[in-house]
Amino acid sequence: MSGYTQRVRDSILPRSVAGTLPAAFAEWTFTENTIDHEATIEICELCGQQDLRYHFEIANRYTKATLWVGSHCILQFGVAVLEDGRQLSSDEARRRLAKLTQQMQLQGCVKALERLAAAEANPILTGALDYYRRNKKLTPKYAAVVFWKLQSFGIDHHPSFFQVELRRAQHIEDLRQMPTGRVHRFWGALSPAQRRKAIELGHRPPARRSTA
Ligand SMILES: [Zn+2]
């Protein structure tokens, strides 16, 4: 593979036994350690990409050197991703890293809900936290309260990381009867299919906010 930048060479070669690429990359493995920095503030120690939220650790099996990188670099440079000692194919590795990212996003949502439940003594908020821990989803009714309160308490969160439950007839009925303004509070947490469903139930999408 061509396309190794000087930055990548400078990061990897001094920490490897092999003196050339791609041989040096064959010495590296994803360690399974990840960090959610909770904001896009980090840098990939391999390629220098900025604005990373999630870090994945890779280690050299000979030099024991480690680097915190973005998942993109693990995939791009074919750093080994193992499962039960077996090296995953590139497709499997992509799915594995996506799954780990999803787990970190889920944990981020649980953390935001924990902060919220601590900010206000409110049985709806503790109920929502409990429900999310068990189901990894919020009901439409919980979502309407949770997103309103997350905003009013200024608790950092990503609506799109949350999942809303919309399978049961009761949840669909709750969504139908909800005032549209309330549905807009959690519009960002709805999947495209769920948004279509909401429109079908008589809601309109929120007006596009001007970025100015
Ligand atoms: Zn990178």
Side-chain angles (χ1 to χ4, degrees):
M1 187 192 293
S2 61
Y4 297 123
T5 62
Q6 196 57 44
R7 169 76 194 228
V8 169
R9 288 172 197 283
D10 290 349
S11 305
I12 210 83
L13 291 179
R15 297 174 173 85
S16 304
V17 174
T20 56
L21 296 172
F25 273 114
E27 303 170 7
W28 291 76
T29 307
F30 169 48
T31 65
E32 298 277 314
N33 292 328
T34 55
I35 303 179
D36 176 1
H37 293 282
E38 298 192 25
T40 51
I41 51 171
E42 275 300 331
I43 185 166
C44 175
E45 292 182 339
L46 194 45
C47 73
Q49 183 177 316
Q50 296 182 321
D51 304 329
L52 296 185
R53 171 169 174 155
Y54 304 107
H55 257 161
F56 298 75
E57 188 188 50
I58 61 172
N60 185 293
R61 79 176 65 98
Y62 303 120
T63 66
K64 307 297 175 199
T66 57
L67 290 170
W68 286 103
V69 306
S71 58
H72 60 270
C73 263
I74 294 180
L75 297 170
Q76 181 172 351
F77 300 119
V79 174
V81 177
L82 305 178
E83 198 161 32
D84 302 325
R86 179 178 72 90
Q87 183 165 346
L88 300 181
S89 71
S90 57
D91 273 354
E92 290 170 328
R94 186 178 305 280
R95 282 198 293 273
R96 173 96 187 106
L97 297 181
K99 194 172 173 200
L100 288 172
T101 304
Q102 260 176 13
Q103 282 171 359
M104 286 191 274
Q105 292 177 342
L106 174 72
Q107 273 315 109
C109 293
V110 169
K111 250 186 225 172
L113 291 174
E114 284 171 347
R115 282 184 196 133
L116 187 56
E120 181 180 297
N122 179 337
I124 296 176
L125 301 180
T126 46
L129 170 61
D130 187 47
Y131 193 88
Y132 205 81
R133 279 199 179 122
R134 280 187 286 120
N135 301 288
K136 302 175 182 174
K137 287 184 166 82
L138 290 171
T139 65
K141 279 186 162 179
Y142 275 142
V145 177
V146 158
F147 286 98
W148 164 45
K149 293 284 182 179
L150 283 170
Q151 279 209 323
S152 51
F153 283 105
I155 294 171
D156 190 38
H157 66 285
H158 284 252
S160 63
F161 292 174
F162 283 86
Q163 311 271 329
V164 175
E165 166 82 71
L166 204 53
R167 288 238 176 94
R168 287 193 218 161
Q170 183 62 52
H171 297 150
I172 293 170
E173 196 46 40
D174 288 346
L175 188 66
R176 185 201 306 278
Q177 289 181 9
M178 207 174 269
T180 293
R182 233 173 262 182
V183 178
H184 287 177
R185 290 177 186 162
F186 57 92
W187 195 264
L190 296 177
S191 68
Q194 290 176 329
R195 288 176 188 183
R196 284 196 295 276
K197 184 79 191 166
I199 291 166
E200 213 176 279
L201 295 172
H203 298 295
R204 58 178 193 289
R208 238 169 238 255
R209 279 187 203 124
S210 150
T211 47

Short mmCIF file of all heavy atoms in Angstrom, two decimals, residues 135-169:
data_model
loop_
_atom_site.label_atom_id
_atom_site.label_comp_id
_atom_site.label_asym_id
_atom_site.label_seq_id
_atom_site.Cartn_x
_atom_site.Cartn_y
_atom_site.Cartn_z
N ASN A 135 -33.19 -2.08 28.52
CA ASN A 135 -33.64 -2.25 27.13
C ASN A 135 -32.75 -1.58 26.09
O ASN A 135 -32.96 -1.76 24.90
CB ASN A 135 -35.06 -1.71 26.98
CG ASN A 135 -36.03 -2.41 27.92
OD1 ASN A 135 -36.36 -3.57 27.70
ND2 ASN A 135 -36.44 -1.73 28.97
N LYS A 136 -31.79 -0.76 26.55
CA LYS A 136 -30.92 0.00 25.63
C LYS A 136 -31.73 0.89 24.71
O LYS A 136 -31.32 1.21 23.59
CB LYS A 136 -30.02 -0.95 24.83
CG LYS A 136 -29.16 -1.81 25.74
CD LYS A 136 -28.36 -2.83 24.99
CE LYS A 136 -27.59 -3.67 25.99
NZ LYS A 136 -26.89 -4.76 25.40
N LYS A 137 -32.90 1.26 25.15
CA LYS A 137 -33.79 2.12 24.37
C LYS A 137 -34.65 2.93 25.33
O LYS A 137 -34.83 2.54 26.49
CB LYS A 137 -34.74 1.28 23.51
CG LYS A 137 -34.08 0.62 22.32
CD LYS A 137 -35.13 -0.10 21.49
CE LYS A 137 -34.62 -0.50 20.14
NZ LYS A 137 -33.87 -1.70 20.07
N LEU A 138 -35.19 4.05 24.83
CA LEU A 138 -36.17 4.84 25.58
C LEU A 138 -37.53 4.70 24.92
O LEU A 138 -37.60 4.63 23.69
CB LEU A 138 -35.77 6.33 25.56
CG LEU A 138 -34.55 6.76 26.35
CD1 LEU A 138 -34.21 8.21 26.01
CD2 LEU A 138 -34.76 6.60 27.85
N THR A 139 -38.58 4.68 25.70
CA THR A 139 -39.92 4.76 25.09
C THR A 139 -40.11 6.20 24.61
O THR A 139 -39.43 7.12 25.07
CB THR A 139 -41.01 4.45 26.13
OG1 THR A 139 -40.97 5.49 27.13
CG2 THR A 139 -40.79 3.09 26.79
N PRO A 140 -41.08 6.43 23.69
CA PRO A 140 -41.33 7.81 23.25
C PRO A 140 -41.66 8.73 24.43
O PRO A 140 -41.19 9.87 24.47
CB PRO A 140 -42.54 7.66 22.31
CG PRO A 140 -42.43 6.27 21.79
CD PRO A 140 -41.86 5.45 22.92
N LYS A 141 -42.43 8.25 25.40
CA LYS A 141 -42.78 9.09 26.55
C LYS A 141 -41.55 9.46 27.38
O LYS A 141 -41.39 10.60 27.80
CB LYS A 141 -43.81 8.38 27.43
CG LYS A 141 -45.22 8.50 26.91
CD LYS A 141 -46.20 7.89 27.90
CE LYS A 141 -47.62 8.38 27.62
NZ LYS A 141 -48.58 7.78 28.55
N TYR A 142 -40.70 8.47 27.63
CA TYR A 142 -39.46 8.77 28.36
C TYR A 142 -38.60 9.73 27.56
O TYR A 142 -38.03 10.68 28.10
CB TYR A 142 -38.67 7.48 28.61
CG TYR A 142 -39.08 6.70 29.84
CD1 TYR A 142 -39.11 5.32 29.84
CD2 TYR A 142 -39.39 7.37 31.03
CE1 TYR A 142 -39.47 4.59 30.97
CE2 TYR A 142 -39.74 6.66 32.17
CZ TYR A 142 -39.78 5.27 32.13
OH TYR A 142 -40.13 4.56 33.26
N ALA A 143 -38.51 9.49 26.24
CA ALA A 143 -37.63 10.33 25.39
C ALA A 143 -38.07 11.79 25.45
O ALA A 143 -37.23 12.69 25.54
CB ALA A 143 -37.63 9.81 23.96
N ALA A 144 -39.39 12.02 25.44
CA ALA A 144 -39.90 13.40 25.43
C ALA A 144 -39.46 14.14 26.70
O ALA A 144 -39.12 15.32 26.66
CB ALA A 144 -41.41 13.40 25.31
N VAL A 145 -39.45 13.43 27.83
CA VAL A 145 -39.04 14.08 29.09
C VAL A 145 -37.52 14.18 29.17
O VAL A 145 -36.97 15.23 29.50
CB VAL A 145 -39.59 13.28 30.30
CG1 VAL A 145 -39.11 13.91 31.61
CG2 VAL A 145 -41.11 13.23 30.26
N VAL A 146 -36.85 13.08 28.81
CA VAL A 146 -35.40 13.01 28.96
C VAL A 146 -34.69 14.09 28.14
O VAL A 146 -33.81 14.80 28.65
CB VAL A 146 -34.89 11.60 28.57
CG1 VAL A 146 -33.43 11.61 28.20
CG2 VAL A 146 -35.15 10.62 29.72
N PHE A 147 -35.07 14.26 26.87
CA PHE A 147 -34.34 15.22 26.03
C PHE A 147 -34.63 16.67 26.44
O PHE A 147 -33.77 17.53 26.35
CB PHE A 147 -34.61 14.97 24.55
CG PHE A 147 -33.89 13.76 24.06
CD1 PHE A 147 -34.52 12.54 23.96
CD2 PHE A 147 -32.53 13.83 23.78
CE1 PHE A 147 -33.84 11.41 23.56
CE2 PHE A 147 -31.84 12.72 23.38
CZ PHE A 147 -32.50 11.50 23.26
N TRP A 148 -35.84 16.91 26.89
CA TRP A 148 -36.20 18.23 27.42
C TRP A 148 -35.32 18.54 28.64
O TRP A 148 -34.72 19.60 28.74
CB TRP A 148 -37.69 18.23 27.76
CG TRP A 148 -38.17 19.33 28.63
CD1 TRP A 148 -37.85 20.66 28.51
CD2 TRP A 148 -39.06 19.22 29.74
NE1 TRP A 148 -38.49 21.38 29.48
CE2 TRP A 148 -39.25 20.53 30.25
CE3 TRP A 148 -39.74 18.16 30.34
CZ2 TRP A 148 -40.06 20.80 31.34
CZ3 TRP A 148 -40.55 18.43 31.42
CH2 TRP A 148 -40.72 19.73 31.92
N LYS A 149 -35.23 17.54 29.55
CA LYS A 149 -34.47 17.77 30.79
C LYS A 149 -32.96 17.80 30.55
O LYS A 149 -32.24 18.59 31.18
CB LYS A 149 -34.80 16.67 31.81
CG LYS A 149 -36.22 16.72 32.33
CD LYS A 149 -36.38 17.84 33.33
CE LYS A 149 -37.79 17.87 33.90
NZ LYS A 149 -37.94 18.94 34.90
N LEU A 150 -32.46 16.97 29.64
CA LEU A 150 -31.02 16.99 29.33
C LEU A 150 -30.63 18.39 28.86
O LEU A 150 -29.60 18.93 29.24
CB LEU A 150 -30.67 15.96 28.25
CG LEU A 150 -30.59 14.50 28.68
CD1 LEU A 150 -30.48 13.59 27.46
CD2 LEU A 150 -29.41 14.25 29.62
N GLN A 151 -31.51 18.97 28.02
CA GLN A 151 -31.23 20.32 27.52
C GLN A 151 -31.32 21.35 28.62
O GLN A 151 -30.46 22.21 28.74
CB GLN A 151 -32.23 20.66 26.42
CG GLN A 151 -31.83 20.07 25.08
CD GLN A 151 -32.33 20.93 23.94
OE1 GLN A 151 -33.43 21.48 24.03
NE2 GLN A 151 -31.54 21.04 22.90
N SER A 152 -32.37 21.25 29.44
CA SER A 152 -32.53 22.32 30.43
C SER A 152 -31.45 22.26 31.51
O SER A 152 -31.09 23.28 32.06
CB SER A 152 -33.95 22.37 31.01
OG SER A 152 -34.34 21.11 31.46
N PHE A 153 -30.90 21.06 31.77
CA PHE A 153 -29.79 20.97 32.73
C PHE A 153 -28.43 21.14 32.06
O PHE A 153 -27.39 21.09 32.73
CB PHE A 153 -29.83 19.64 33.49
CG PHE A 153 -30.86 19.60 34.58
CD1 PHE A 153 -32.03 18.89 34.43
CD2 PHE A 153 -30.66 20.30 35.77
CE1 PHE A 153 -32.98 18.85 35.43
CE2 PHE A 153 -31.61 20.28 36.78
CZ PHE A 153 -32.78 19.55 36.61
N GLY A 154 -28.42 21.32 30.74
CA GLY A 154 -27.16 21.51 30.02
C GLY A 154 -26.24 20.30 30.11
O GLY A 154 -25.02 20.44 30.18
N ILE A 155 -26.82 19.11 30.11
CA ILE A 155 -26.01 17.88 30.18
C ILE A 155 -25.62 17.46 28.77
O ILE A 155 -26.49 17.28 27.91
CB ILE A 155 -26.78 16.76 30.91
CG1 ILE A 155 -27.00 17.16 32.38
CG2 ILE A 155 -26.03 15.43 30.82
CD1 ILE A 155 -27.93 16.25 33.14
N ASP A 156 -24.33 17.36 28.54
CA ASP A 156 -23.80 17.04 27.22
C ASP A 156 -24.29 15.65 26.77
O ASP A 156 -24.16 14.69 27.51
CB ASP A 156 -22.26 17.07 27.30
CG ASP A 156 -21.65 16.99 25.92
OD1 ASP A 156 -22.22 17.60 25.00
OD2 ASP A 156 -20.63 16.31 25.77
N HIS A 157 -24.84 15.58 25.58
CA HIS A 157 -25.32 14.29 25.06
C HIS A 157 -25.48 14.37 23.55
O HIS A 157 -25.57 15.45 22.98
CB HIS A 157 -26.67 13.94 25.70
CG HIS A 157 -27.77 14.89 25.31
ND1 HIS A 157 -27.89 16.16 25.82
CD2 HIS A 157 -28.78 14.75 24.42
CE1 HIS A 157 -28.93 16.76 25.28
NE2 HIS A 157 -29.48 15.93 24.42
N HIS A 158 -25.47 13.22 22.92
CA HIS A 158 -25.68 13.14 21.48
C HIS A 158 -27.01 12.45 21.21
O HIS A 158 -27.10 11.23 21.38
CB HIS A 158 -24.57 12.32 20.81
CG HIS A 158 -23.29 13.06 20.69
ND1 HIS A 158 -22.83 13.52 19.47
CD2 HIS A 158 -22.40 13.46 21.60
CE1 HIS A 158 -21.70 14.16 19.66
NE2 HIS A 158 -21.41 14.13 20.95
N PRO A 159 -28.04 13.19 20.79
CA PRO A 159 -29.35 12.56 20.57
C PRO A 159 -29.25 11.34 19.65
O PRO A 159 -29.93 10.34 19.88
CB PRO A 159 -30.17 13.68 19.92
CG PRO A 159 -29.53 14.94 20.41
CD PRO A 159 -28.07 14.63 20.56
N SER A 160 -28.40 11.41 18.63
CA SER A 160 -28.37 10.32 17.65
C SER A 160 -27.79 9.03 18.24
O SER A 160 -27.92 7.96 17.66
CB SER A 160 -27.58 10.73 16.42
OG SER A 160 -26.24 10.99 16.75
N PHE A 161 -27.12 9.10 19.42
CA PHE A 161 -26.59 7.89 20.05
C PHE A 161 -27.68 7.12 20.80
O PHE A 161 -27.53 5.96 21.12
CB PHE A 161 -25.47 8.21 21.04
CG PHE A 161 -24.21 8.75 20.40
CD1 PHE A 161 -23.17 9.21 21.19
CD2 PHE A 161 -24.07 8.80 19.03
CE1 PHE A 161 -22.01 9.70 20.63
CE2 PHE A 161 -22.91 9.29 18.45
CZ PHE A 161 -21.88 9.75 19.25
N PHE A 162 -28.76 7.82 21.10
CA PHE A 162 -29.85 7.18 21.83
C PHE A 162 -30.73 6.39 20.86
O PHE A 162 -30.86 6.75 19.69
CB PHE A 162 -30.73 8.23 22.52
CG PHE A 162 -30.14 8.78 23.78
CD1 PHE A 162 -29.28 9.86 23.74
CD2 PHE A 162 -30.45 8.24 25.02
CE1 PHE A 162 -28.73 10.40 24.91
CE2 PHE A 162 -29.91 8.75 26.19
CZ PHE A 162 -29.05 9.83 26.12
N GLN A 163 -31.33 5.33 21.37
CA GLN A 163 -32.29 4.56 20.58
C GLN A 163 -33.67 4.74 21.20
O GLN A 163 -33.79 4.76 22.43
CB GLN A 163 -31.95 3.07 20.63
CG GLN A 163 -30.51 2.76 20.35
CD GLN A 163 -30.26 2.55 18.87
OE1 GLN A 163 -31.15 2.10 18.16
NE2 GLN A 163 -29.07 2.89 18.42
N VAL A 164 -34.66 4.87 20.34
CA VAL A 164 -36.04 4.97 20.81
C VAL A 164 -36.78 3.70 20.41
O VAL A 164 -36.64 3.20 19.30
CB VAL A 164 -36.74 6.22 20.23
CG1 VAL A 164 -38.21 6.25 20.63
CG2 VAL A 164 -36.03 7.49 20.71
N GLU A 165 -37.55 3.19 21.34
CA GLU A 165 -38.34 1.96 21.15
C GLU A 165 -39.65 2.33 20.46
O GLU A 165 -40.38 3.17 20.94
CB GLU A 165 -38.60 1.37 22.54
CG GLU A 165 -39.63 0.31 22.63
CD GLU A 165 -39.08 -1.04 22.24
OE1 GLU A 165 -38.28 -1.58 23.01
OE2 GLU A 165 -39.45 -1.53 21.16
N LEU A 166 -39.91 1.72 19.31
CA LEU A 166 -41.15 2.05 18.59
C LEU A 166 -41.74 0.82 17.92
O LEU A 166 -42.20 0.87 16.79
CB LEU A 166 -40.86 3.15 17.55
CG LEU A 166 -42.04 4.02 17.11
CD1 LEU A 166 -42.76 4.64 18.29
CD2 LEU A 166 -41.58 5.11 16.17
N ARG A 167 -41.67 -0.30 18.63
CA ARG A 167 -42.20 -1.54 18.05
C ARG A 167 -43.59 -1.83 18.57
O ARG A 167 -44.47 -2.24 17.83
CB ARG A 167 -41.26 -2.71 18.39
CG ARG A 167 -39.98 -2.64 17.62
CD ARG A 167 -39.78 -3.90 16.78
NE ARG A 167 -38.59 -3.80 15.96
CZ ARG A 167 -37.40 -4.26 16.34
NH1 ARG A 167 -37.30 -4.89 17.50
NH2 ARG A 167 -36.35 -4.12 15.57
N ARG A 168 -43.79 -1.64 19.87
CA ARG A 168 -45.06 -2.03 20.46
C ARG A 168 -46.17 -1.05 20.07
O ARG A 168 -45.92 0.15 19.93
CB ARG A 168 -44.94 -2.05 21.99
CG ARG A 168 -44.13 -3.23 22.47
CD ARG A 168 -44.31 -3.39 23.96
NE ARG A 168 -43.06 -3.79 24.56
CZ ARG A 168 -42.80 -3.66 25.86
NH1 ARG A 168 -43.68 -3.11 26.65
NH2 ARG A 168 -41.65 -4.07 26.33
N ALA A 169 -47.37 -1.59 19.96
CA ALA A 169 -48.53 -0.78 19.57
C ALA A 169 -48.70 0.40 20.54
O ALA A 169 -49.03 1.51 20.13
CB ALA A 169 -49.79 -1.65 19.56
#
